[in-house]
Amino acid sequence: MEVSHVSIRIEKLTKELKKNNIRLSHQRLKVLEYMVTHRTHPTVDQIYNDLQKEVPTLSKTTIYNTLRTLVDANLVKAINIEDNEVRYDAVTKDHGHFKCESCGEIFDFDVDFNTFSTRGLKNFNIKHKDIYFKGICPNCM
Amino acid sequence: MEVSHVSIRIEKLTKELKKNNIRLSHQRLKVLEYMVTHRTHPTVDQIYNDLQKEVPTLSKTTIYNTLRTLVDANLVKAINIEDNEVRYDAVTKDHGHFKCESCGEIFDFDVDFNTFSTRGLKNFNIKHKDIYFKGICPNCM
DNA sequence: TTGACTGCAAAGCATTTGCAGAGTA
DNA sequence: TACTCTGCAAATGCTTTGCAGTCAA
């Protein structure tokens, strides 16, 4: 992703934060910046280990707090593709996640939610849609 | 679900267990029976609390062990619709799960995986498909 | 009989909570 | 200034592990 796009993205996000009355602390901006520049669906631990190099005083508690804030504000999505770890994604639109059971990498894929028949949910108010696939990626085959 | 269906279901499952060289212990059969008769997508805790009435010596460790065995044998599926709890489902075929954010109930729904375009996964070997929706169910609206 | 299973107790680990001090607006 | 946020330490709670006794085959 180009640097200019990243800065535009972050600008948008900080506006969203202001709109939600969330203070723009140094730590929050760093986490946000990390989420936008690293599209690797990181865990709290990965964010923590990477950001600590830049911001040595940063605590895991703050990352947990920040991510909850961002998830509540719908700026970040939690990915529960595995039952023993939560990953995070700075999503903009609906898409699916594929996890390779060999290398562990998570891939995004487009999902056409319109061609998607959901019989049995006629009178349901659907707010969140998560699609998780697992298997083997082309690189590991 | 009719009793006759349940017993047929359990008979099938015990055959599967034998095929996988999994011993038919009293505890495992009880957990299996519970999973087949209670289609409520229970957590370990719910299974434990309910079964303890019948089998007072049953331990949570055994339930964890049993569920892992059943999941590994593809007789039961783990549901990670929420990041702070794992639920289990005695599945037979692919389907989606909808969780009501108001009452917490989980509903099954049919998914036609054929009408489901997955651009970007052309060379991927897809082994598992999980679809999780959240929102408000008709009863809560 | 023998290898697998159960269940207790303890360990492990991700996440949350309480709270004093620091920082944002 | 006033209120929120940070980050340490401790608590919490789910899940796993070690292991001695028990059980299925």
Side-chain angles (χ1 to χ4, degrees), chain A residues 80 83 98 101 109 115-116 121 123-136 138 141, chain B residues 80 83 86 98 101 109 115-116 121 123-136 138 141:
Chain A
N80 305 320
D83 55 10
F98 178 98
E101 293 172 329
F109 63 90
T115 66
F116 186 110
L121 292 183
N123 298 310
F124 288 69
N125 177 6
I126 304 170
K127 292 182 178 175
H128 306 282
K129 298 176 180 178
D130 289 304
I131 300 197
Y132 301 134
F133 284 8
K134 292 186 204 174
I136 307 294
M141 287 209 287
Chain B
N80 304 319
D83 57 10
V86 183
F98 177 99
E101 293 173 329
F109 63 89
T115 66
F116 185 111
L121 292 182
N123 298 311
F124 288 69
N125 177 7
I126 303 171
K127 292 182 177 174
H128 306 284
K129 298 175 181 178
D130 288 306
I131 300 196
Y132 300 135
F133 284 8
K134 291 186 206 173
I136 307 294
M141 288 208 289

Side-chain angles (χ1 to χ4, degrees), chain B residues 76-88:
Chain B
V76 162
K77 217 171 172 186
I79 302 176
N80 304 319
I81 200 168
E82 217 61 78
D83 57 10
N84 57 355
E85 65 177 22
V86 183
R87 292 172 170 276
Y88 294 91

Side-chain angles (χ1 to χ4, degrees), chain A residues 1 9-10 12-13 16 31-32 34-42 67 70-80 87-97 106-110 113 127-132:
Chain A
M1 190 180 284
R9 190 77 212 292
I10 292 178
K12 264 190 186 173
L13 290 171
E16 280 299 313
V31 172
L32 248 188
Y34 184 92
M35 291 303 299
V36 171
T37 52
H38 298 73
R39 311 302 299 257
T40 52
H41 316 88
L67 287 172
L70 296 176
V71 168
D72 288 349
N74 274 314
L75 299 178
V76 162
K77 218 172 170 188
I79 302 176
N80 305 320
R87 293 173 169 275
Y88 294 91
D89 191 1
V91 270
T92 40
K93 65 188 201 71
D94 276 336
H95 62 281
H97 290 110
I106 293 185
F107 301 81
D108 293 322
F109 63 90
D110 286 331
F113 281 94
K127 292 182 178 175
H128 306 282
K129 298 176 180 178
D130 289 304
I131 300 197
Y132 301 134

Side-chain angles (χ1 to χ4, degrees), chain A residues 35-75:
Chain A
M35 291 303 299
V36 171
T37 52
H38 298 73
R39 311 302 299 257
T40 52
H41 316 88
T43 63
V44 166
D45 235 59
Q46 287 164 348
I47 301 171
Y48 176 70
N49 288 326
D50 286 353
L51 279 182
Q52 190 146 49
K53 293 164 195 159
E54 282 182 70
V55 190
T57 60
L58 184 66
S59 74
K60 258 188 197 175
T61 302
T62 295
I63 297 175
Y64 277 109
N65 288 339
T66 299
L67 287 172
R68 181 187 307 156
T69 302
L70 296 176
V71 168
D72 288 349
N74 274 314
L75 299 178

Side-chain angles (χ1 to χ4, degrees), chain B residues 86-97:
Chain B
V86 183
R87 292 172 170 276
Y88 294 91
D89 190 0
V91 268
T92 40
K93 65 187 201 70
D94 277 334
H95 61 280
H97 289 110

